[in-house]
Amino acid sequence: MRRRCCLLLLLALLCEPGRGGEPGPGAVTCGSVLKLLNTRHNVRLHSHEVKYGSGSGQQSVTGVEASDDANSYWRIRGKNDDTCQRGTPVKCGQAIRLTHVNTGKNLHTHHFPSPLSNNQEVSAFGDDGEGDDLDIWTVQCSGTHWEREDAVRFKHIGTDVFLSITGEQYGHPIRGQREVHGMNSPNHHNYWMAMEGVFIKPSMDPAKHDEL
């Protein structure tokens, strides 16, 4: 009897959404547009047409406290578009690009020092969503798929750093915004969570999505 109860419990768990390798209803999907919150510092990943005054001189990437800033939206794309079809749930360990919606540049990092903390600079790079191999990150999460309620890490394929914030604040012209950079070690500064956005559902219907 006890063995049968254990078997029934196991079957129930496997049938729950998101169990047994199946994506749950809150999976982040390819093509979705979202904001990413750093859970340690409570700021959203952000970019804008302000270039770094040092390092690469590329478009800067920062963290902002405001939840309603239109410059904090990023589109989820694959390493190439064939590997991340619209509406497909993103798997843990999958290689992705994050494209800044308002400027069309990709989240990028390279061997330049960041201006405030002297970690690795993170910038926005490319034109109309096309940059180079240093735009590619892997999603690190604990299950099979990236779920919206999960805190995840983004590890850069080319340089092995983690997308991070440690709290340093800029002055003029982006006063109060936080430095975003790459760190060599996984820690509590590099956890991110999906927040506001338009999440494309796994469907052939391009109009089917969730808005948050």
Side-chain angles (χ1 to χ4, degrees):
M1 182 69 179
R2 183 176 178 182
R3 184 176 179 181
R4 184 181 177 185
C5 289
C6 290
L7 179 59
L8 289 173
L9 177 61
L10 177 60
L11 288 172
L13 288 172
L14 289 174
C15 290
E16 286 184 15
R19 300 275 186 170
E22 291 298 318
V28 176
T29 54
C30 298
S32 294
V33 172
L34 51 73
K35 295 181 179 181
L36 290 167
L37 179 78
N38 183 279
T39 60
R40 173 69 174 179
H41 297 279
N42 201 36
V43 293
R44 286 161 174 78
L45 188 69
H46 177 93
S47 192
H48 40 222
E49 293 182 349
V50 177
K51 294 183 177 180
Y52 286 119
S54 60
S56 69
Q58 294 175 4
Q59 182 171 301
S60 58
V61 172
T62 63
V64 297
E65 292 181 351
S67 62
D68 58 352
D69 194 313
N71 273 323
S72 300
Y73 283 111
W74 301 82
R75 185 182 304 279
I76 307 295
R77 302 169 64 210
K79 181 178 180 180
N80 55 63
D81 290 332
D82 293 337
T83 62
C84 199
Q85 305 242 342
R86 180 184 172 90
T88 304
V90 177
K91 295 180 179 179
C92 296
Q94 184 170 335
I96 65 166
R97 289 175 290 174
L98 291 164
T99 302
H100 188 243
V101 171
N102 280 355
T103 63
K105 296 184 183 297
N106 296 327
L107 189 70
H108 180 96
T109 189
H110 39 212
H111 292 296
F112 286 93
S114 59
L116 301 182
S117 67
N118 206 39
N119 284 300
Q120 185 165 299
E121 180 192 277
V122 171
S123 64
F125 175 76
D127 293 297
D128 296 323
E130 297 306 317
D132 63 20
D133 289 344
L134 293 178
D135 302 340
I136 302 170
W137 305 74
T138 57
V139 181
Q140 293 201 335
C141 43
S142 57
T144 304
H145 295 89
W146 176 9
E147 302 287 341
R148 289 185 225 168
E149 67 270 19
D150 292 343
V152 304
R153 291 188 174 102
F154 300 101
K155 187 175 184 180
H156 190 243
I157 287 183
T159 64
D160 290 331
V161 297
F162 294 88
L163 184 69
S164 306
I165 291 178
T166 49
E168 297 83 5
Q169 295 190 28
Y170 288 105
H172 180 79
I174 50 175
R175 185 175 302 278
Q177 296 186 23
R178 311 296 176 84
E179 181 186 81
V180 174
H181 50 245
M183 298 184 75
N184 291 320
S185 60
N187 56 55
H188 55 280
H189 295 295
N190 37 58
Y191 276 119
W192 301 84
M193 184 174 288
M195 299 298 287
E196 305 84 3
V198 177
F199 295 87
I200 308 300
K201 288 187 175 180
S203 169
M204 296 302 290
D205 180 2
K208 192 173 183 183
H209 58 259
D210 285 346
E211 294 189 20
L212 293 182

